[in-house]
Amino acid sequence: MHPSDLGPYDPLALPDTAPGERPTIATACGKVILLGEHSVVYGEPALAAPLSPLRLSVVLAPGEDGVRIELDDGAPEGASTSVSRALAAAAAELDLGLPLPLRVAVRTGGLRSGMGTSAALGVALGRALLLWHGEEPDDARVLAAAEAVERLFHGNPSGVDHTVSALEAPLWFRKGETPDPLTGLPALHFALLRRGSAASTAEIVAGVRERLGADSALVRTVARMGRVAEDGLEAWERGDVAAFGEAMTAQQAALDGLGVVAPSDRDGIDVALGAGAVAAKITGAGMGGSLLALAEDAVGAGRVVDAWGAGALAFAVGDPG
Ligand code: PMV
């Protein structure tokens, strides 16, 4: 039979299924904090950017019995329980029933520690649940669902991770304020070393809180990180790569002072600097998580990627102009 024998394509004439009776897929990008991790928890500003090519995906499909979770091969122990709890928290926040029986497949899409995996999970679950129920996945509801998931895992998150993931734009972010998407800035070239770390963000953040309570000099360190983030934004606006690098270097020293830098982080930073990086620092919670290096240009970022090897990638933020 020739395809034209089937008559004109009319989607409305096709049998359809109601929302919830067909698989739903949603994705959310990872993020990278350029400046301001940890200090952002205390109200200081942070600069963060989406990692659009690295996307966590969630598929919801009708199941046979209860909730069945499917994860990437080699997913860490307890990941299934975390996804179930996240799903329940997102559904409760959205006031949507948990559609049972349900199959939930989560693929992390190459995200690792420090790249906002739990935030991307919250954003993708929020989107998938809304779509499953035939509702629009608007930013406000997706952000609320993702925040509920982040609270589950991180206690009192600054919100930078899930906000960047949901809005998928470079942001100047301050806790509790409407974030400012950044546009029209010159391109900055980075290398990112993705590393899986067993350290929990919640525990690292709690450790910083404890040390701040015991040492007032560290409170000043946090305030200084805020000023350095502002210097960094101004440097970026001027296209001054060296000055942006100085801001990264100053923040790395401050983060070391806060006790979130592991020896393996220092080694990785030395490798990046040895390969000609302008600056390098931890990104995200630290303690063996991902590392970020600034380069003069794309070629320089490629050199750092080669020196770091497996798990490294190059990306640019801003307008290629
Ligand atoms: O390591 P990640 O991706 O979970 O990033 C955490 C960022 C912190 O600033 C350390 C915590 C927060 O709530 O902002």
Side-chain angles (χ1 to χ4, degrees), residues 47-86:
L47 264 177
L51 285 168
S52 293
L54 299 181
R55 309 190 75 81
L56 179 144
S57 65
V58 166
V59 178
L60 303 182
E64 279 158 19
D65 184 23
V67 178
R68 205 177 91 210
I69 312 270
E70 294 162 25
L71 302 174
D72 294 318
D73 291 342
E77 214 187 314
S80 241
T81 312
S82 300
V83 170
S84 299
R85 292 176 61 217

Side-chain angles (χ1 to χ4, degrees), residues 31 33 37-38 40-41 114-116 154 157-158 160-161 201 205 284-285:
K31 68 92 212 353
I33 297 181
E37 48 278 275
H38 289 288
V40 70
V41 172
M115 294 164 60
H154 294 179
S158 66
V160 63
D161 287 13
T201 297
V205 170

Side-chain angles (χ1 to χ4, degrees), residues 91-140:
E93 176 63 37
L94 294 171
D95 218 5
L96 294 172
L98 242 196
L100 294 175
L102 186 67
R103 275 176 54 212
V104 184
V106 178
R107 305 279 175 246
T108 53
L111 296 178
R112 308 258 175 85
S113 310
M115 294 164 60
T117 312
S118 62
L121 175 66
V123 171
L125 281 174
R127 285 178 177 153
L129 280 166
L130 286 162
L131 288 167
W132 177 277
H133 285 272
E135 296 188 25
E136 190 57 33
D138 59 279
D139 287 347

Side-chain angles (χ1 to χ4, degrees), residues 3-222:
S4 61
D5 296 342
L6 292 169
Y9 174 69
D10 177 4
L12 294 179
L14 293 173
D16 198 5
T17 48
E21 289 175 5
R22 58 192 162 213
T24 297
I25 181 162
T27 71
C29 66
K31 68 92 212 353
V32 64
I33 297 181
L34 307 177
L35 292 169
E37 48 278 275
H38 289 288
S39 48
V40 70
V41 172
Y42 302 94
E44 298 298 338
L47 264 177
L51 285 168
S52 293
L54 299 181
R55 309 190 75 81
L56 179 144
S57 65
V58 166
V59 178
L60 303 182
E64 279 158 19
D65 184 23
V67 178
R68 205 177 91 210
I69 312 270
E70 294 162 25
L71 302 174
D72 294 318
D73 291 342
E77 214 187 314
S80 241
T81 312
S82 300
V83 170
S84 299
R85 292 176 61 217
L87 180 70
E93 176 63 37
L94 294 171
D95 218 5
L96 294 172
L98 242 196
L100 294 175
L102 186 67
R103 275 176 54 212
V104 184
V106 178
R107 305 279 175 246
T108 53
L111 296 178
R112 308 258 175 85
S113 310
M115 294 164 60
T117 312
S118 62
L121 175 66
V123 171
L125 281 174
R127 285 178 177 153
L129 280 166
L130 286 162
L131 288 167
W132 177 277
H133 285 272
E135 296 188 25
E136 190 57 33
D138 59 279
D139 287 347
R141 295 185 81 194
V142 168
L143 281 166
E147 184 177 336
V149 171
E150 281 289 80
R151 281 192 185 285
L152 195 65
F153 296 128
H154 294 179
N156 189 17
S158 66
V160 63
D161 287 13
H162 70 268
T163 307
V164 176
S165 178
L167 303 185
E168 206 161 335
L171 293 184
W172 177 246
F173 179 92
R174 213 187 264 271
K175 191 176 180 176
E177 289 181 10
T178 307
D180 217 354
L182 299 167
T183 52
L185 291 176
L188 288 176
H189 295 273
F190 294 98
L192 177 71
L193 179 59
R194 295 173 297 146
R195 298 197 297 182
S197 158
S200 116
T201 297
E203 280 169 28
I204 299 170
V205 170
V208 171
R209 190 172 293 281
E210 210 169 285
R211 290 189 283 283
L212 280 172
D215 182 353
S216 59
L218 291 182
V219 177
R220 290 195 291 280
T221 300
V222 165

